[in-house]
Structure formats: C-alpha cells, structure tokens
C-alpha cells in the first residue's frame, strides 16, 4: 500500500463462475486492492457474500483485500472476517454506536480499520473516527448494488472531509465508492480522494476488465 493513489476493484460485478480468473486478470492489469462488498439484507436491501468468499479470495490473490461491511452490528463478524484473511475492514458509522471502539477492535485483530458514511449521513458523524481510522470511505451511491449512477453531491462531501482530514494531519486513505468511472474518478481525485473503488467500470468494461483497470489507472498514475 505504498502508492499515492490506489485502485480497488470490487468483485461485485465479476463473473463468479470464473472468480479466480477475473481476479487474476485485474491483478495482472495493475489493480492495487480487491474490494469485497459484504451485504446482509438488513442494512442494505441486497445479500451478497461473507467470510467464505473472503477466504476464497485470500487463496486466489496476494493483493490486499479491502472488505466493505454493509451489515448491521458488524462487530459480531469482525473476527470471522479477520480470520478469513481480510487486510482491511471498513464499517459503516450508521451501524456502529461506538465507532472508535469498533475501529480499535479491528486493529487489535491485525487488520487495517476503515469507517464509511452513507450519502445522507452528516459528515460530522465520521469525524470521531479520524484519529483511529486507516481509511475513510465516502459512498457516492446508496449502498446495495453495483451499476448505480454517481451522486454528484458527493464531490463536495469528499472536499469537506479532505479539508478536515488535512486539518488533523491524518494520513488515512480517503476512498470513494459508487459510480466511479473515467468521468467521475478525476472529479473525486481533484476533491481529494486517494483510493477509488470500481466494479462496473472494471468488470463490465466492453473491452474487458484489463482494459477497465488500465483506463482508470491512467488517470491516477
Ligand atoms: C455498492 C458497493 C460498491 C459497488 C460499486 O453498494 O459498496 O462497492 O460494488 O459498484 P459500481 O462501481 O458499479 O458503482
Ligand atoms: Zn463497496
């Protein structure tokens, strides 16, 4: 995790009948992290994957596994995801009454700790996490599905959080997730984001996932 900017490829849009190949393709095309979207059907309407898939990804790739927990009461599962081989675990502030305590617990299990906020959640609610978090994630869609339209109002939220992180000299990654493509990535980069999640723009690229990675990489290298 030494680059200034990182590209995190969300496997939510990958072809799961060929998950190993899909991950190998994006890895050799130069993606930095693999983003795993965990959804429980409660915090978000969709149900996706759990520790079993993280453990599978861990066997497929050496890349950091950037695990995004869109689940109620995430502290119940942190240990299972850490054991499965997650590199980083990112929890929603909306699901954590004690966000600092949850981030500390994640770190105590040897993982990088991230905090994320939904589009409608006030920016102030993530500020208590700044000193503990290795990563702050700003959603630029309502979480639940890949392939949604980017919410332009999230650009100002990223700028605001960038200023606040700089003010406390935080070195946390500022990650953005949702509708990130060749049009929106430069706007989020200009606003101060340093880590970019993309599912559709990578795995549904008409020229294939390697071309998707290369097109996004060209904007951050
Ligand atoms: C959305 C997930 C995202 C999603 C992004 O709830 O957290 O990571 O996979 O998909 P795209 O890049 O298609 O918006
Ligand atoms: Zn995500």
């Amino acid at each position: 995790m030494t680059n200034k900017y990182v590209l995190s490829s969300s496997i939510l849009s990958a072809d799961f009948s060929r998950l190993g190949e899909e991950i190998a393709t994006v890895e050799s095309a130069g993606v930095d992290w693999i983003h795993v979207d965990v959804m429980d059907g409660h915090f978000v309407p969709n149900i996706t994957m759990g520790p079993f898939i993280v453990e599978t990804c861990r066997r497929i790739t050496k890349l950091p596994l950037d695990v995004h927990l869109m689940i109620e009461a995430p502290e119940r599962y942190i240990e299972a995801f850490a054991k499965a081989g997650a590199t980083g675990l990112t929890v929603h502030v909306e699901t954590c009454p004690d966000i600092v305590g949850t981030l500390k617990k994640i770190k105590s299990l040897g993982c990088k700790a991230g905090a994320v906020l939904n589009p409608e959640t006030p920016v102030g609610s993530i500020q208590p996490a700044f000193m503990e978090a290795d990563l702050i994630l700003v959603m630029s869609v309502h979480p639940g599905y890949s392939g949604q339209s980017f919410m332009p109002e999230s650009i100002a939220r990223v700028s605001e959080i960038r200023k606040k992180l700089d003010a406390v000299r935080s070195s946390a990654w500022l990650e953005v997730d949702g509708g990130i493509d060749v049009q929106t990535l430069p706007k989020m980069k200009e606003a101060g984001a340093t880590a970019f999640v993309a599912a559709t723009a990578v795995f549904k690229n008409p020229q294939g996932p390697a071309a998707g990675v290369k097109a996004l990489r060209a904007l951050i290298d």
Side-chain angles (χ1 to χ4, degrees):
M1 298 193 181
T2 49
N3 297 351
K4 192 171 170 219
Y5 296 106
V6 302
L7 183 59
S8 191
S9 191
S10 163
I11 58 170
L12 193 55
S13 294
D15 176 353
F16 269 66
S17 70
R18 302 185 301 109
L19 185 61
E21 276 172 59
E22 293 272 75
I23 290 179
T25 300
V26 295
E27 182 167 357
S28 45
V31 100
D32 301 286
W33 302 346
I34 298 295
H35 185 86
V36 183
D37 284 306
V38 177
M39 305 186 191
D40 66 352
H42 291 274
F43 178 63
V44 289
N46 199 5
I47 301 179
T48 56
M49 40 205 145
F52 178 77
I53 294 286
V54 171
E55 196 269 324
T56 304
C57 292
R58 188 66 295 155
R59 284 186 282 117
I60 294 171
T61 179
K62 293 209 164 30
L63 290 178
L65 299 178
D66 172 32
V67 178
H68 178 189
L69 297 179
M70 286 159 276
I71 62 177
E72 295 288 358
E75 60 283 357
R76 291 178 301 168
Y77 291 100
I78 282 168
E79 208 166 329
F81 281 104
K83 268 200 192 127
T87 310
L89 288 172
T90 299
V91 291
H92 274 262
V93 292
E94 301 86 3
T95 64
C96 295
D98 173 18
I99 184 69
V100 173
T102 306
L103 295 174
K104 281 189 170 147
K105 179 164 180 203
I106 292 171
K107 287 161 113 178
S108 77
L109 294 165
C111 295
K112 300 281 182 197
V116 45
L117 82 174
N118 276 343
E120 66 282 1
T121 303
V123 163
S125 63
I126 205 158
Q127 272 180 267
F130 281 3
M131 300 318 288
E132 207 58 53
D134 299 300
L135 178 147
I136 297 291
L137 169 57
V138 178
M139 291 308 300
S140 37
V141 295
H142 290 112
Y145 300 92
S146 56
Q148 302 185 78
S149 301
F150 177 79
M151 297 170 72
E153 55 271 41
S154 59
I155 299 171
R157 286 162 65 78
V158 170
S159 306
E160 189 182 348
I161 292 176
R162 171 82 276 153
K163 283 194 198 101
K164 291 184 192 297
L165 284 171
D166 290 348
V168 296
R169 293 199 164 82
S170 163
S171 58
W173 294 104
L174 180 48
E175 188 174 58
V176 288
D177 184 4
I180 299 300
D181 60 18
V182 290
Q183 267 81 45
T184 57
L185 187 149
K187 297 176 187 167
M188 290 302 229
K189 180 172 173 244
E190 202 186 327
T194 54
F196 306 88
V197 177
T200 304
V202 170
F203 288 106
K204 302 289 187 202
N205 183 291
Q207 270 78 53
V213 169
K214 283 178 185 146
L216 295 172
R217 271 244 79 93
L219 302 168
I220 56 175
D221 282 339

